[in-house]
Amino acid sequence: MSLTAGAVIASAAPDLGPAVNSACTYPQLVAALNTERPEAATAYNASPPDQSAIQQFLAAPPGSSGRAAMAQMVANNPGAAQAIPVLQHVFSVCSNY
């Protein structure tokens, strides 16, 4: 029974609210990423497709259904498990940059 409960907890959807509702600009987000998560920033800065995706995401209005849909697509990506915690953190602090 505890294994099942653990599996349910482990598969819980990530909180995408900080990203979906963020009013941060692209320069703020990149500054936060570079400062807060430099290892992830190195990979991000070397990936034009990732840069383009974040720019498109931030171009949608905060709180919009378009932004929510894009965030959900990222969360559903098989490789998202590593990126989601980094993005959650960076979006939660980017307004400080």
Side-chain angles (χ1 to χ4, degrees), residues 77-97:
N77 187 312
Q82 290 178 314
I84 293 292
V86 171
L87 291 171
Q88 286 173 315
H89 175 74
V90 172
F91 271 105
S92 71
V93 300
C94 62
S95 63
N96 298 327
Y97 290 85

Side-chain angles (χ1 to χ4, degrees), residues 29-92:
L29 187 74
V30 172
L33 181 63
N34 286 328
T35 302
E36 301 281 331
R37 298 292 193 263
E39 303 84 16
T42 299
Y44 173 79
N45 291 328
S47 176
D50 288 348
Q51 294 169 19
S52 177
I54 290 291
Q55 288 171 347
Q56 286 180 321
F57 179 81
L58 291 173
S64 69
S65 60
R67 199 183 263 201
M70 285 185 265
Q72 192 59 57
M73 284 177 43
V74 170
N76 291 339
N77 187 312
Q82 290 178 314
I84 293 292
V86 171
L87 291 171
Q88 286 173 315
H89 175 74
V90 172
F91 271 105
S92 71

